[in-house]
Amino acid sequence: MPQLRVAHLTSVHGALDPRIFFKEARSLKARGYDVCVIAQGDEPFVQDGVRIVTLPRARGRFERMTRTMAAMLRAAIKENADVYHLHDPELIPLGLFLRLRGKKVVYDAHEDLPYDIEVKDWIPSRIRPFVSGAAKWGLRAAGRRFTGVVAAVDTIAERFPQANVVVVRNLVDLSLQTPGEASLRVSHAAVYCGSITVVRGIVEMVQAFAPANISSGRRLALIGNFHDEAVESMVRNLSGWPNVDFYGRLRNDQIAPILQSARAGLCMLHATRGHLDSLPTKIFEYFAAGIPVIASDFPGWRALVEGCGISIDPNDPVALAQAIAYLDNHPEEAREMGERGRDRVMRELNWSSESSRLYWFYESLR
């Protein structure tokens, strides 16, 4: 059987994005596919057998939607792949053009776009409902024309025609972080790793470490990037910031020791419609590190968190501070929670089963 050429396209994410490169592209390469990732970057390179094709970096959203789109189309046509795997909604028009050229096109829905639009600050609030409604219609219409759709969770999959959609959850890849027991030496009372935004709970997390809410000596490890300078300035002026160790973006091998030496991992997403049905990778990463999670008390998350952490109101920094203090004051109970979470990741909640589902889906495209 001839080797299938697959091109992953992203104008928003980095070439080494965890889902795009480390999970999907590497898994397909390991199965014998010829795989490349086309993304913004500097020099092209090859990693783990996957070719990285780079485009000039855009200076702002307008340039990304114009110059980057044109460069992406040229690179995609030059690649002459059998399957084009799109990872951003803004690439849908490009994907429809490739379909007209007779190419197989797969759309990967990482997030629930219509609900995601409802919290986009750069879209005027008065027109967000109309943009969200248009996105619902547009996704379904595009889904009928694409060869297939890969969705991160069941509720996203429901937006598309069911004949050509598969759910591939964004579970933790154990090859990237060896699960192990949390460190005996606790350096931080809690850790957060991920995108740093208001709707992901950064204000509440930092305020939980304000002197009025938590005892002296307890600190928060903050890993990730701020996406808004105004938000970063505001957060740095909160009373809890002096108790934060801010690391910025780190490599996987740098993150693991920090996770394993924290008492608990935080996942304080606000209750937006897009978040309520999401399945955050960071929860599974905390489990893999052997630490309990303190997570938003969403109905869809309770069974996941039960026995492996604590569920609380994500808008209450005092309740968060109390949960952090409880786990810090009950280290044996925290250790047992972490062990249960790690056991679930090792047994079932990992990328191994999901990669098989992705491979089965790709075999159906031949």
Side-chain angles (χ1 to χ4, degrees), residues 285-361:
E285 291 172 344
Y286 298 149
F287 286 174
I291 61 175
V293 63
I294 302 175
S296 304
D297 187 18
F298 296 165
W301 294 10
R302 287 172 190 155
L304 178 64
V305 174
E306 186 178 6
C308 307
I310 300 174
S311 298
I312 64 166
D313 179 353
N315 300 110
D316 188 346
V318 175
L320 176 55
Q322 292 171 345
I324 293 168
Y326 179 86
L327 292 177
D328 209 24
N329 291 331
H330 299 82
E332 183 60 23
E333 186 175 349
R335 184 189 64 79
E336 291 173 356
M337 288 180 178
E339 285 184 351
R340 284 191 287 269
R342 185 176 66 251
D343 181 62
R344 292 192 65 188
V345 164
M346 291 294 290
R347 286 187 295 103
E348 55 178 318
L349 298 174
N350 61 69
W351 176 249
S352 178
S353 60
E354 301 303 299
S355 64
S356 297
R357 190 181 304 212
L358 179 70
Y359 176 64
W360 168 86
F361 174 73

Side-chain angles (χ1 to χ4, degrees), residues 274-296:
H275 286 162
L276 288 171
D277 295 318
S278 65
L279 198 62
T281 308
K282 63 176 59 64
I283 289 181
F284 306 111
E285 291 172 344
Y286 298 149
F287 286 174
I291 61 175
V293 63
I294 302 175
S296 304

Side-chain angles (χ1 to χ4, degrees), residues 167-236:
V167 175
V168 178
R169 296 175 297 172
N170 210 21
L171 300 184
V172 66
D173 186 344
L174 297 181
S175 71
L176 301 180
Q177 47 189 309
T178 303
E181 292 198 19
S183 171
L184 294 177
R185 183 178 67 85
V186 175
S187 302
H188 295 92
V191 59
Y192 171 79
C193 181
S195 297
I196 303 174
T197 65
V198 171
V199 296
R200 291 175 184 264
I202 184 57
V203 173
E204 290 79 11
M205 287 188 288
V206 171
Q207 280 301 83
F209 283 84
N213 295 330
I214 205 162
S215 61
S216 175
R218 290 185 172 125
R219 302 188 64 80
L220 168 67
L222 186 60
I223 305 170
N225 283 351
F226 284 93
H227 293 272
D228 187 311
E229 291 182 359
V231 171
E232 180 174 3
S233 177
M234 179 267 292
V235 169
R236 286 179 177 273

Side-chain angles (χ1 to χ4, degrees), residues 143-165:
R144 293 192 189 99
R145 290 161 176 80
F146 287 156
T147 314
V149 175
V150 176
V153 295
D154 292 334
T155 51
I156 295 178
E158 292 169 1
R159 293 198 179 279
F160 298 93
Q162 296 303 294
N164 64 342
V165 65

